[in-house]
Amino acid sequence: MIGPIFQRETATLPRRSRHYVSRVVFALMTFGIICTTWLLLAGIQPVQNPGDLARFGVLIFQLIAPFQLLVLMFTAALAGTTAVSHEKDKQTIILLLMTSLTNAEVVLGKVGAGLLASFNAFFASLPVLFMVLLLGGVSVEQVVACSWVTAAALFASATLGATIAFWREKTFQALAVTALLLAFWLGLGELVASGWISVLPARFAMLFSPLRAVLDICQPVATQAILEGANWNNAWWSGGVILGLGVLWLFISIVMLRVWNPSRERRPVSHASEFSEPDVAPEFLQGATTERVVKAWKSRAPRTVWNNPILWREMKTWAYGRKIVFVKAAYLLFAVVIGMGLYRMVDSGAALVSTTYQEELVPASVSLLAPFFVLSLILVNALAVNSITNERDGGALDLLLVTEITPANFLLGKMVGVLYVTREMVLAPLALCLFLWSQGGLTTENLLFTVVTLLVMNIFVAMLGIHCGMIYSQSRVAIGTSLGTVFFLFLGIAVCMLIMLMFRGSFGRQLAPFLFIILGGGTGLYLALGSRNPSPAITLSSFLLPFLTFFAITSFLLRDQEMTVFLTVAISYAFATAAMMVPALSEFDFALGRARTLDEE
């Protein structure tokens, strides 16, 4: 129907076990949130009449609808990006362009391949979402409208990721640009909704921002406009606009496919005078007619390589492409926007310690800083996992294993190199914390705790990316597991905090209801990190991290326990980092994919 690429994907996808596991896990995650919230509600007050159930239904719908949207947008964007980047890393995209396939068949096939897994999870979670109707308080129109907007956002996210991947040559550049564009997309909607962009009305945000549209649909207030069907019509308009964005990105990919690919780095040089780059082999210069060209090729003096060549390559060469400069510029622009918002909060007094300490359990500045911190950690993790997958896909990993490079040199070179290349992602959050401290929004003690915790988390996500790159032989599996672990870790923290704030008067009785989420998170961490190379340290850290994170969240919300929160987070994540790092320092333990299974293909 769409082409042989999509036809092959539809034929092979049902043969993989993760096709069935992923949809079951996502449905169980959504249902687990409902059960946890119900246990918390039943432990606080008895449910005596249908009105109590209806209020619970509204609460659940407001919780799982944005959760479902964010998870599916992330997975769809990641699937669309990796589906195309995988072809480029394996250098098979050129072979596809040499066939009789049209641009539309190539683009639609790869986008469809990315959408299959995402819609698989989406349709699996729909029964759970419609089950909320049985509780009351939510109408059928609201659930259908939420599903429509979510499906449109899922399609738009996948096409956006695929478009960026067709455009950029390096996998990290595609992942980073996609993450930044998604952040700009959702962030712009929040700015318009909050009234910071005065030229646009606040209601305009829900037309292009899927998060704002879903939050608007979830509102239980039966105003006259909603009774007249305006909310329903707005949902259709929102889904239509978001779907139109996806179609626009799809059209751009189809038109520009053979303009962007092959990239300039892979195109043959047509003039002898262009053989002046030092990366050109001498045999290509045999056809040169002038002595000046040969001399130009040898004009650069050889550079001295350090004792650790891995670290030298990471820090002294463009290992991830020259266009990474534009990625950093876009990230710094995003940091400036966050800084401006933080300045407005400080200027209005909303971010100051004296005004928010007694009024809010979570300071107002967290709403700006926390998403930015998560974005920074995701970018660091993306570069870390790509630093390994690029070596494997380029065929250089086998060569590195037969050299005199020791495991310690390799691991430390990659770790330090990743943190050096992403130094803007490491330093920008620290700079914002220093600014908030200088304006009185943070105490000196909390500033020190925050800075040290951010450094620990950066090292943790960098080691996590390298660890996943080492234990998974397939690049798509490694990238998806690494980024998915980071994303679900912080999204789980956000969901737990939101549930706790809904029942803020019973922190001491919330451990038992959260056991399902804690055990589920521990099992997921173990399957992602320790199932391929099990060790007692990784097993212990996998099951301890969710519990200690829950303890840290509870201590944070109880206030005046900053030292407890800091020590819990720093020690637990430092131990998890050491559990992954120590085995890798002693020996090379790479999954080389020599015995590939169908489940990994």
Side-chain angles (χ1 to χ4, degrees):
M1 179 178 63
I2 298 179
I5 298 177
F6 183 75
Q7 183 179 1
R8 176 189 179 276
E9 191 68 21
T10 56
T12 58
L13 184 64
R15 304 175 189 173
R16 306 167 187 167
S17 60
R18 68 171 180 266
H19 168 70
Y20 306 98
V21 173
S22 61
R23 62 186 183 188
V24 172
V25 169
F26 184 61
L28 286 177
M29 287 172 55
T30 309
F31 186 70
I33 294 175
I34 297 177
C35 294
T36 302
T37 311
W38 169 258
L39 290 175
L40 288 172
L41 176 66
I44 295 176
Q45 61 182 23
V47 180
Q48 299 178 345
N49 51 60
D52 294 337
L53 279 179
R55 284 188 289 271
F56 176 72
V58 173
L59 187 68
I60 284 297
F61 188 61
Q62 292 178 339
L63 185 63
I64 64 175
F67 171 79
Q68 180 192 47
L69 173 71
L70 293 177
V71 170
L72 292 177
M73 285 185 66
F74 171 80
T75 55
L78 181 61
T81 304
T82 54
V84 179
S85 297
H86 177 72
E87 301 289 350
K88 290 193 172 184
D89 291 336
K90 295 293 185 180
Q91 300 182 13
T92 54
I93 186 69
I94 300 178
L95 300 179
L96 289 177
L97 298 179
M98 294 172 61
T99 64
S100 59
L101 296 175
T102 63
N103 289 6
E105 288 177 328
V106 174
V107 173
L108 293 177
K110 301 311 294 184
V111 172
L115 284 173
L116 281 177
S118 302
F119 271 106
N120 177 40
F122 170 69
F123 286 117
S125 64
L126 279 184
V128 180
L129 192 64
F130 275 88
M131 189 176 63
V132 180
L133 294 173
L134 301 177
L135 300 173
V138 181
S139 65
V140 177
E141 289 80 5
Q142 284 180 291
V143 179
V144 173
C146 178
S147 303
W148 159 245
V149 173
T150 302
L154 192 154
F155 173 77
S157 300
T159 54
L160 173 63
T163 301
I164 300 302
F166 278 121
W167 173 41
R168 302 308 323 143
E169 180 66 22
K170 300 293 184 179
T171 303
F172 170 71
Q173 295 179 15
L175 291 172
V177 173
T178 303
L180 288 171
L181 287 179
L182 285 178
F184 273 114
W185 185 13
L186 299 179
L188 182 61
E190 296 303 307
L191 290 177
V192 174
S194 62
W196 285 13
I197 301 179
S198 57
V199 295
L200 297 175
R203 296 287 298 175
F204 183 77
M206 68 168 295
L207 287 179
F208 66 90
S209 174
L211 181 59
R212 276 289 121 192
V214 168
L215 293 177
D216 184 79
I217 294 170
C218 293
Q219 294 302 317
V221 181
T223 59
Q224 186 63 31
I226 295 178
L227 291 176
E228 293 175 357
N231 193 42
W232 173 251
N233 295 330
N234 288 339
W236 279 107
W237 276 106
S238 301
V241 172
I242 296 169
L243 188 67
L245 290 176
V247 173
L248 175 62
W249 291 324
L250 195 65
F251 176 76
I252 293 174
S253 298
I254 294 174
V255 173
M256 301 297 293
L257 175 64
R258 298 181 189 272
V259 178
W260 291 336
N261 301 279
S263 65
R264 294 183 179 180
E265 299 176 4
R266 300 187 182 276
R267 292 178 183 176
V269 182
S270 57
H271 301 287
S273 59
E274 297 185 18
F275 286 115
S276 58
E277 292 293 329
D279 294 334
V280 180
E283 54 267 22
F284 287 98
L285 296 173
Q286 294 178 357
T289 57
T290 62
E291 183 179 358
R292 179 182 60 82
V293 177
V294 179
K295 182 178 179 181
W297 177 76
K298 299 181 179 180
S299 60
R300 177 181 294 180
R303 292 179 287 181
T304 303
V305 180
W306 300 341
N307 293 332
N308 189 336
I310 302 296
L311 181 60
W312 176 85
R313 179 180 180 271
E314 296 286 328
M315 298 181 64
K316 292 297 183 179
T317 66
W318 296 98
Y320 306 99
R322 296 179 181 271
K323 297 299 187 298
I324 195 176
V325 175
F326 297 100
V327 175
K328 294 182 178 182
Y331 171 81
L332 292 177
L333 177 62
F334 191 74
V336 170
V337 174
I338 297 296
M340 293 174 60
L342 200 60
Y343 174 78
R344 290 191 59 173
M345 281 189 173
V346 171
D347 188 55
S348 63
L352 299 181
V353 174
S354 58
T355 59
T356 61
Y357 184 82
Q358 298 294 338
E359 296 175 5
E360 298 180 3
L361 289 175
V362 179
S365 56
V366 173
S367 61
L368 281 177
L369 292 178
F372 181 69
F373 290 169
V374 173
L375 175 64
S376 303
L377 294 173
I378 287 177
L379 294 179
V380 174
N381 179 259
L383 184 68
V385 67
N386 272 272
S387 67
I388 305 297
T389 58
N390 287 346
E391 303 283 3
R392 178 182 287 111
D393 294 333
L397 190 57
D398 292 338
L399 299 178
L400 287 174
L401 296 180
V402 298
T403 61
E404 297 179 355
I405 297 176
T406 63
N409 285 339
F410 180 84
L411 180 61
L412 295 179
K414 286 295 183 181
M415 282 282 294
V416 177
V418 166
L419 294 176
Y420 175 80
V421 175
T422 58
R423 55 192 180 275
E424 290 82 4
M425 292 74 173
V426 175
L427 297 177
L430 302 182
L432 291 177
C433 292
L434 287 173
F435 169 75
L436 189 61
W437 167 76
S438 65
Q439 300 298 319
L442 271 179
T443 63
T444 303
E445 180 186 20
N446 289 342
L447 172 67
L448 179 62
F449 293 161
T450 305
V451 169
V452 176
T453 303
L454 284 175
L455 293 177
V456 171
M457 294 303 299
N458 276 288
I459 297 175
F460 168 75
V461 297
M463 187 62 229
L464 174 64
I466 295 175
H467 178 75
C468 291
M470 292 172 64
I471 66 175
Y472 291 98
S473 60
Q474 296 297 307
S475 298
R476 283 191 294 181
V477 178
I479 294 172
T481 303
S482 180
L483 291 176
T485 301
V486 176
F487 178 78
F488 281 105
L489 177 64
F490 291 108
L491 183 62
I493 293 174
V495 171
C496 289
M497 291 189 67
L498 186 58
I499 295 176
M500 289 180 180
L501 290 175
M502 291 178 179
F503 305 96
R504 63 180 65 183
S506 59
F507 291 145
R509 293 179 291 177
Q510 291 184 354
L511 177 60
F514 274 99
L515 283 178
F516 179 83
I517 295 179
I518 293 174
L519 292 177
T523 304
L525 278 177
Y526 174 75
L527 293 176
L529 305 180
S531 60
R532 303 244 171 173
N533 54 346
S535 69
I538 291 181
T539 304
L540 180 62
S541 63
S542 297
F543 286 97
L544 275 182
L545 267 184
F547 174 76
L548 294 177
T549 303
F550 171 80
F551 175 75
I553 295 173
T554 306
S555 301
F556 172 77
L557 295 178
L558 288 175
R559 288 305 186 95
D560 296 327
Q561 300 187 36
E562 288 82 3
M563 177 65 76
T564 303
V565 176
F566 164 70
L567 291 178
T568 302
V569 174
I571 293 176
S572 60
Y573 284 93
F575 177 77
T577 303
M580 295 182 288
M581 181 183 296
V582 172
L585 288 173
S586 58
E587 61 178 353
F588 286 115
D589 189 11
F590 287 96
L592 298 177
R594 304 191 187 282
R596 292 171 57 187
T597 62
L598 182 62
D599 186 47
E600 291 179 333
E601 290 179 354

